[in-house]
Amino acid sequence: MDPSDQADRISNLPDILLVLIISCLSFKECVQTSCLSKRWRSVYLETRNVSFKESDFLSPSVYANPISWIRARDAFVDYVCSWVARIDDQHIDTFGISVSYPKTYLDVIESLIAFAVRKRVKALVLDFSNPAWTTFHDVNLDELVVEIPQSVYDLATLELLKLGAVKQFDPTKLSNPGKLKTVSFGWMVLTNFEPLLKTSRFESLTINGCRELDFDTIEGNMRKVAIKNCDFSINCTFDLPRVDILKYSGDLFRFEFDNMNTIISEVEFDFRVLDNNNDESNDSTTAEGGMLCHLLNNLLDDGGRTATTLTVCPFLLKMIPRSEHPHFLRPMETKHLVLKTELHPREFNGIRLLLLNCPKLETLTIDLLPPSPIATASSYAGIDPQTYWMQNISYECQRETLKAVVVKNFAGGENELHIVKFFIQSECEHLERVELYMPFDLDEGRKMFANAKSEMLQRSSNRVQVVVHNS
């Protein structure tokens, strides 16, 4: 069928169906449909999901010039106000406003929040964070100027609430916490939160960059929990009997797991914030390695709990072999292991240790990260990347279960080729395919080079299929 004919068929649908279709798009995509025809200029205004993000409307080039930046922000806020004025009598399910440095627009923000409350929205997103923030240490409390009115606490229709960089939010004021299914709090002081966790029916919880936390236990019946760069005191305990996705990134604390789901679909640990610490003293790294081994053993012990997919970071790969007793790391039932790695020699022993302790592994994903300054070394502590993966060592997962190796951001570098060859040429009797995903920003010359290296890998094995994906 001609694509233009298919487009005409869509345009011939009644407005009520078109509104349902565009309401499934992101708001940015919805606005872009206004360019299709005169008819779409009115249809797109009827979307039920409205989300104004400063980053979607401002060109990156305006940030270089303060005057251009101020003018662009003013134009963005004017656009938001004009849009809201046009849809005053329209039904809205979702309303969001995301703008940094909100102090200039407090009156406008107050009116937009009142508009969302008046529309009795089901989902409300109020995000005033700065894109430059990476941890809670970056947040100046004086920058948190937007206060949440009582009308938001009393909004009985809310099922999703996402707040970022707001002032003095008090979870105990929520009148209908039992209706909320998805909550997200970021870049703010978060206190009085533990009672809400115990009584709520949240299905998804995200806490990002929050400080002055007066609780150290994450508990409830949530199916998805993501904790990012938060200011816990010493310990962090998880009591999540129904959790299906658990993601943690930030500092290394003593983690405990009480009543957890037996099979967790996805677990991710990211401690890359600690890679900025260059303290490589034996005492420091031994302690951190021991804590990380304890973390994995405590959550994913053999015969107990299982993570179907486990994602780990370079810091974990570097530290677990340095534990005083790395051989105490117990086997895990993980079927999909995702290694976020720079493929620095410091990480190699950690990769081997995880391969050894994932005897039922079916898929290995090597997600290549941009190298940090320390990753430029060709060897480390006697580990030579040219020969390390040539050792005649195989693991139970290679011999019995491993079916696929996936490499993301493949560019044909030497370290990438060495580790891929290790799996292709070793005793991986069940290995069916190696999938190589190139970065989207590779120029044509580097793409040709990576393709040539992938063809070389294919020639090295008649049994394993090497598939290249050009982004």
Side-chain angles (χ1 to χ4, degrees), residues 163-313:
L163 302 177
V166 301
K167 181 180 180 181
Q168 296 178 343
F169 175 74
D170 186 353
T172 63
K173 290 184 179 180
L174 287 168
S175 301
N176 299 280
K179 186 127 186 190
L180 280 170
K181 296 178 181 178
T182 300
V183 292
S184 176
F185 304 104
W187 312 112
M188 53 196 281
V189 173
L190 191 58
T191 58
N192 299 322
F193 192 61
E194 197 165 14
L196 180 63
L197 284 176
K198 292 180 179 178
T199 59
S200 69
R201 298 179 181 176
F202 299 156
E203 294 180 3
S204 175
L205 169 67
T206 300
I207 306 177
N208 181 18
C210 290
R211 58 195 292 181
E212 298 183 22
L213 304 180
D214 59 355
F215 60 95
D216 56 13
T217 299
I218 307 295
E219 60 181 315
N221 289 317
M222 290 80 76
R223 301 303 299 267
K224 179 180 180 180
V225 174
I227 310 296
K228 306 175 185 177
N229 301 315
C230 287
D231 184 20
F232 291 101
S233 54
I234 299 175
N235 301 322
C236 183
T237 300
F238 293 93
D239 186 350
L240 304 167
R242 297 181 67 243
V243 71
D244 197 46
I245 298 174
L246 175 62
K247 296 185 178 183
Y248 177 88
S249 62
D251 208 343
L252 180 58
F253 300 96
R254 183 171 181 83
F255 297 92
E256 300 294 342
F257 302 93
D258 286 346
N259 183 20
M260 298 291 290
N261 199 357
T262 304
I263 300 177
I264 307 174
S265 295
E266 185 178 346
V267 171
E268 179 173 348
F269 292 121
D270 187 347
F271 302 101
R272 274 178 287 176
V273 66
L274 297 175
D275 266 334
N276 296 326
N277 300 337
N278 294 320
D279 179 9
E280 294 198 21
S281 65
N282 287 335
D283 290 343
S284 172
T285 56
T286 297
E288 290 170 331
M291 291 175 71
L292 290 167
C293 286
H294 174 78
L295 166 65
L296 294 175
N297 284 342
N298 213 7
L299 179 61
L300 306 174
D301 57 324
D302 187 22
R305 291 182 289 266
T306 299
T308 305
T309 297
L310 172 64
T311 301
V312 298
C313 65

Side-chain angles (χ1 to χ4, degrees), residues 378-389:
S378 58
S379 61
Y380 176 81
I383 298 175
D384 184 354
Q386 301 292 327
T387 59
Y388 184 87
W389 298 107

Side-chain angles (χ1 to χ4, degrees), residues 399-419:
R399 298 188 298 269
E400 302 294 338
T401 58
L402 188 63
K403 297 178 181 178
V405 173
V406 178
V407 182
K408 294 184 178 180
N409 298 315
F410 175 81
E414 285 191 0
N415 286 4
E416 303 164 38
L417 296 173
H418 290 318
I419 194 169

